[in-house]
């Protein structure tokens, strides 16, 4: 679980944002016209700094050179804003600049923030070096908790447990945050007994479970397929009138029920979830998840009913169309997917290739390669950029038609869009192996893998893993 972060809110967030950035750049005039001009000037300066490789320091230094005032609160606001956009390197740069230039002394909150940013930018080893060099007087609870968050994110159980014990010894383990971090670690690593022991410790110390505590335990029970445990946590959350019950609680419970085959119980949970979002705040995410879960429950009529309700209640974004199309794919309803795709096209939303990608995948799996290719060409003609999976879908389609060179080219395009450690999906590999197996020629799958290696598409180590996978497929025939 990530550390919670407070965010500044305003009824007019855009105006507030502009006003704050203008103050950051030293605006002194109070006229609306000059403020707007100043805002445009600010945006013109920060716009080129999107790349992490472009330093913010020259802009900051120019700002000071022009005689503008330095305020800690506004620099901290800028850091928070950069973090919210996942511009961690820039946020870390501002954090260092505000103290290295000796405008402000380092406070415990600055250290805690810097630890989190350093972990994201430089890794755990650099975090530990920084923490060890930090004066003891600055090592408050927030700092230790930030370090604990790094250890749990890294799934470094031994270091996390040692630090947690130190927090106990120092008398810092009094709130839920450090316990929730440890619970999340044990949940992710499947150490259920340790979770129970930790929650017992919280009860003995009189530390009340908060929403995160119970959600983490609920998720762990669900991952373990423990229906009784899920029921216990849901009942606990429903019975507490002082606790705000989130729709995510019912989604976790419903997902677990579906995984263990308890469809009717899952539908009961989904009904409660739906009741919360229909009568509550807007939540496109909840509708999208409901579409997925109703499809997994095999309830096509519920998918259609919910989609109609969704369109009445909310403004449908690209993700909504992806969700309903993906739900209909589970029923093999290609015609229904095509109809939703036509609805999406008529809305003229931004061309997110993930929307046609759902239909492209359907076409390729059903042997309709030419229709898939035509849809790719159509999307590109409208300025869309094919998604990674788009090229993987086409590779599957080419494999089905025994067009190996074109399959290799499609995978090359997929990999060109990904980090260096990307590898073809298991789905693609299973497809190629099963296809040639059905043709009585599994050895051809090995030729396919070697041809990918010849194109320098993955390492020799990964090649060996793929060949072992193919060998296992041979042994199972």
């Amino acid at each position: 679980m990530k550390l919670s972060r407070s965010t500044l809110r305003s009824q007019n967030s855009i105006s507030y944002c502009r006003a704050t950035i203008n103050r950051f750049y030293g605006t002194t005039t109070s006229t609306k016209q000059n403020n707007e001009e100043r805002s445009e000037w600010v945006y013109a300066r920060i716009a080129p700094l999107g790349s992490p490789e472009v330093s913010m320091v020259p802009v900051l230094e120019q700002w000071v050179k022009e005689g503008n005032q330095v305020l800690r609160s506004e620099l901290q606001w800028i850091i928070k804003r950069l973090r919210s956009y996942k511009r961690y390197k820039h946020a870390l740069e501002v954090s260092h600049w505000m103290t290295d230039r000796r405008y402000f002394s380092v406070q415990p909150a600055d250290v805690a923030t810097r630890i989190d940013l350093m972990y994201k930018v430089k890794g755990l080893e650099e975090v530990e070096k920084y923490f060890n060099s930090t004066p003891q007087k600055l090592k408050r609870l927030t700092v230790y908790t930030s370090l604990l968050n790094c250890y749990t994110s890294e799934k470094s159980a031994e270091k996390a447990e040692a630090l947690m014990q130190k927090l106990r010894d120092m008398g810092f383990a009094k709130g839920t945050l450090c316990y929730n971090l440890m619970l999340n670690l044990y949940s992710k690593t499947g150490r259920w007994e340790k979770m129970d022991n930790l929650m017992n410790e919280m009860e003995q110390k009189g530390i009340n479970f908060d929403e995160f505590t119970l959600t983490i335990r609920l998720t762990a029970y669900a991952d373990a397929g423990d229906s009784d445990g899920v029921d216990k946590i849901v009942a606990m959350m429903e019975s507490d009138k002082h606790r705000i019950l989130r729709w995510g609680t019912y989604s976790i419970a419903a997902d677990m029920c579906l995984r263990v085959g308890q469809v009717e119980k899952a539908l009961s949970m989904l009904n409660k979830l739906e009741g919360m979002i229909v009568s509550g705040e807007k939540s496109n995410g909840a509708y999208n998840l409901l579409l997925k879960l109703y499809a997994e429950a095999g309830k096509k009529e519920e998918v259609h009913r919910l989609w109609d309700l969704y369109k009445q209640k909310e403004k449908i974004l690209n993700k909504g169309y992806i969700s309903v199309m993906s739900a209909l794919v589970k029923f093999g309803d290609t015609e229904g997917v095509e109809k939703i795709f036509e609805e999406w096209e008529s809305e003229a939303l931004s061309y997110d290739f993930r929307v046609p990608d759902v239909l492209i995948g359907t076409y390729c799996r059903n042997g309709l390669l030419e229709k898939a290719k035509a849809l790719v060409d159509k999307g590109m003609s409208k300025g869309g950029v094919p998604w990674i999976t788009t090229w993987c879908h086409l590779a599957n389609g080419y494999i089905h038609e025994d067009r190996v060179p074109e399959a290799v080219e499609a995978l090359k395009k997929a990999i060109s869009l990904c980090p260096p450690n990307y590898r073809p999906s298991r789905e693609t590999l299973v497809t190629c192996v099963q296809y040639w197996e059905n043709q009585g020629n599994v050895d051809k799958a090995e030729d396919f893998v070697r041809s990918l290696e010849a194109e320098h598409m993955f390492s020799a180590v990964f090649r060996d893993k793929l060949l072992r996978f193919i060998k296992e497929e041979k042994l199972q025939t």
Side-chain angles (χ1 to χ4, degrees), residues 230-247:
V230 168
D231 289 344
K232 181 178 72 174
I233 298 298
V234 171
M236 189 183 300
M237 297 177 85
E238 288 179 330
S239 64
D240 189 342
K241 296 180 180 180
H242 300 290
R243 180 173 286 113
I244 299 175
L245 189 62
R246 309 289 183 182
W247 59 261

Side-chain angles (χ1 to χ4, degrees), residues 391-410:
W391 297 115
C392 286
H393 290 322
L394 289 178
N396 288 338
Y398 286 127
I399 289 167
H400 275 300
E401 295 193 3
D402 208 10
R403 294 160 64 174
V404 175
E406 289 165 291
V408 172
E409 287 302 312

Side-chain angles (χ1 to χ4, degrees), residues 319-337:
K319 181 61 178 175
Y321 287 98
I322 295 170
S323 297
V324 70
M325 290 169 67
S326 299
L328 293 175
V329 165
K330 293 182 181 295
F331 301 102
D333 186 1
T334 302
E335 184 177 340
V337 176

Side-chain angles (χ1 to χ4, degrees), residues 375-391:
L375 192 52
V376 172
D377 292 340
K378 181 181 179 181
M380 293 176 69
S381 71
K382 293 187 175 183
V385 179
W387 201 244
I388 299 164
T389 52
T390 306
W391 297 115

Side-chain angles (χ1 to χ4, degrees), residues 176-444:
T176 58
L177 182 54
C178 57
Y179 282 95
N180 287 343
L181 289 170
M182 293 301 298
L183 286 169
N184 199 40
L185 169 65
Y186 294 143
S187 177
K188 290 187 294 185
T189 54
R191 302 168 76 177
W192 320 125
E193 184 179 345
K194 284 184 173 288
M195 294 188 75
D196 291 334
N197 292 339
L198 209 57
M199 291 182 73
N200 289 336
E201 180 182 329
M202 292 176 71
E203 287 186 307
Q204 291 171 7
K205 289 185 174 182
I207 301 173
N208 294 326
F209 302 150
D210 63 14
E211 176 190 345
F212 298 106
T213 309
L214 295 178
T215 300
I216 293 166
R217 193 63 187 98
L218 176 67
T219 302
Y221 277 133
D223 289 341
D226 187 339
S227 179
D228 291 339
V230 168
D231 289 344
K232 181 178 72 174
I233 298 298
V234 171
M236 189 183 300
M237 297 177 85
E238 288 179 330
S239 64
D240 189 342
K241 296 180 180 180
H242 300 290
R243 180 173 286 113
I244 299 175
L245 189 62
R246 309 289 183 182
W247 59 261
T249 299
Y250 292 122
S251 70
I252 294 170
D255 181 60
M256 187 281 302
C257 291
L258 290 173
R259 282 191 275 123
V260 298
Q262 298 177 341
V263 177
E264 291 305 316
K265 190 173 178 180
L267 291 174
S268 174
M269 294 293 177
L270 294 180
N271 185 57
K272 291 181 179 181
L273 193 166
E274 188 175 331
M276 292 181 71
I277 62 173
V278 169
S279 61
E281 296 182 358
K282 293 183 177 181
S283 180
N284 288 63
Y287 278 104
N288 296 338
L289 185 56
L290 268 172
L291 287 166
K292 173 180 179 291
L293 293 173
Y294 273 132
E296 291 181 355
K299 299 297 181 180
K300 185 176 179 179
E301 68 281 2
E302 292 298 301
V303 170
H304 284 295
R305 180 190 61 78
L306 188 71
W307 177 242
D308 291 337
L309 181 64
Y310 193 177
K311 289 188 289 186
Q312 293 173 20
K313 295 286 186 179
E314 309 287 354
K315 176 178 174 56
I316 310 295
L317 306 176
N318 287 331
K319 181 61 178 175
Y321 287 98
I322 295 170
S323 297
V324 70
M325 290 169 67
S326 299
L328 293 175
V329 165
K330 293 182 181 295
F331 301 102
D333 186 1
T334 302
E335 184 177 340
V337 176
E338 289 176 327
K339 182 179 177 181
I340 299 295
F341 179 69
E342 290 171 2
E343 288 184 27
W344 174 75
E345 285 188 306
S346 69
E347 291 294 326
L349 298 172
S350 61
Y351 206 95
D352 185 342
F353 227 101
R354 290 176 297 176
V355 180
D357 187 62
V358 178
L359 187 53
I360 291 165
T362 300
Y363 284 152
C364 289
R365 285 189 295 272
N366 292 322
L368 302 171
L369 180 60
E370 294 308 314
K371 292 186 75 170
K373 290 171 60 181
L375 192 52
V376 172
D377 292 340
K378 181 181 179 181
M380 293 176 69
S381 71
K382 293 187 175 183
V385 179
W387 201 244
I388 299 164
T389 52
T390 306
W391 297 115
C392 286
H393 290 322
L394 289 178
N396 288 338
Y398 286 127
I399 289 167
H400 275 300
E401 295 193 3
D402 208 10
R403 294 160 64 174
V404 175
E406 289 165 291
V408 172
E409 287 302 312
L411 285 175
K412 285 172 65 178
K413 289 179 180 178
I415 290 171
S416 70
L417 300 173
C418 299
N421 62 349
Y422 174 76
R423 55 199 188 193
S425 68
R426 179 179 176 85
E427 177 190 4
T428 300
L429 298 171
V430 169
T431 298
C432 81
V433 172
Q434 289 180 343
Y435 170 76
W436 281 307
E437 177 186 312
N438 293 336
Q439 300 297 310
N441 190 1
V442 182
D443 291 335
K444 199 163 186 178

